[in-house]
Amino acid sequence: MAVLSIVMHPAEILEKECEPVRQFDKKLKILLNDMYETMLAADGVGLAAPQIGIDQQIAVVDIGDELGRINLINPIIIEKSGEQTDVEGCLSFPGLYGTVSRPYYVKVKAQDVKGRFFYIEAEDYLARAIQHEIDHLHGILFTSKVLKYIDEEDLEGYEGE
Ligand code: NI
């Protein structure tokens, strides 16, 4: 596995609609592994393909819970409910944090590395991380949703991400 370099804002690729994945080949498997390694190396809980310069609908999420690593290929939110507001950050915006409101619960349909469809239900922090990454695949950055920016020193008490 390889640690890739993360694209920092501003960059055109971060604001693009990504292309659906159609080839579920070995290259995709390697890319997902590299993305996961890159995410861990950057101490993140999620990483989307445009953040490593690839305009495809691919993301990895791992918030350190019992589900562990989740590969999301061509993910679609098919159900959402409730509301939560908490602090978010983004590996493409080092040192920037702000509160964002999002649905508390989501049900997502996606494909795995072999192209098999699966559903995942998530709430709270995992739902937030998944929604943040799916936004990336449509060129939507968390800064467009921030209600209030938070100073890095005031982050204590927030989970952060
Ligand atoms: Ni992000």
Side-chain angles (χ1 to χ4, degrees):
M1 291 203 267
V3 173
L4 310 168
S5 64
I6 295 176
V7 176
M8 297 300 159
H9 177 82
E12 205 178 314
I13 188 135
L14 294 176
E15 305 197 45
K16 272 188 75 172
E17 176 74 25
C18 294
E19 297 292 329
V21 172
R22 293 191 183 87
Q23 298 261 57
F24 294 85
D25 52 14
K26 199 173 169 212
K27 225 176 111 188
L28 177 65
K29 191 179 171 186
I30 292 168
L31 175 64
L32 274 158
N33 288 340
D34 288 348
M35 283 176 62
Y36 187 63
E37 193 72 8
T38 303
M39 186 202 88
L40 293 179
D43 209 16
V45 297
L47 186 73
Q51 293 182 280
I52 49 144
I54 294 174
D55 65 338
Q56 296 215 319
Q57 291 182 26
I58 305 166
V60 289
V61 171
D62 187 343
I63 64 162
D65 67 356
E66 68 285 354
L67 284 178
R69 171 179 170 179
I70 303 163
N71 296 324
L72 296 169
I73 300 166
N74 303 330
I76 303 166
I77 295 171
I78 55 171
E79 267 180 59
K80 54 186 174 184
S81 65
E83 197 187 327
Q84 56 170 320
T85 302
D86 211 337
V87 173
E88 281 184 32
C90 179
L91 295 177
S92 295
F93 292 83
L96 195 66
Y97 301 92
T99 52
V100 177
S101 282
R102 296 187 183 273
Y104 182 80
Y105 161 90
V106 289
K107 184 173 182 180
V108 172
K109 182 183 183 185
Q111 283 167 279
D112 69 10
V113 69
K114 291 185 171 166
R116 295 173 296 209
F117 285 95
F118 69 96
Y119 294 88
I120 182 166
E121 290 182 282
E123 50 184 43
D124 204 349
Y125 187 48
L126 180 59
R128 168 176 299 282
I130 288 173
Q131 290 174 83
H132 178 111
E133 298 315 323
I134 292 178
D135 273 354
H136 270 300
L137 305 182
H138 302 287
I140 300 165
L141 299 169
F142 86 112
T143 47
S144 71
K145 297 184 170 179
V146 166
L147 303 171
K148 185 173 179 281
Y149 286 99
I150 307 283
D151 284 342
E152 215 167 345
E153 308 88 71
D154 297 331
L155 276 177
E156 258 176 63
Y158 291 105
E159 273 184 316
E161 62 190 61

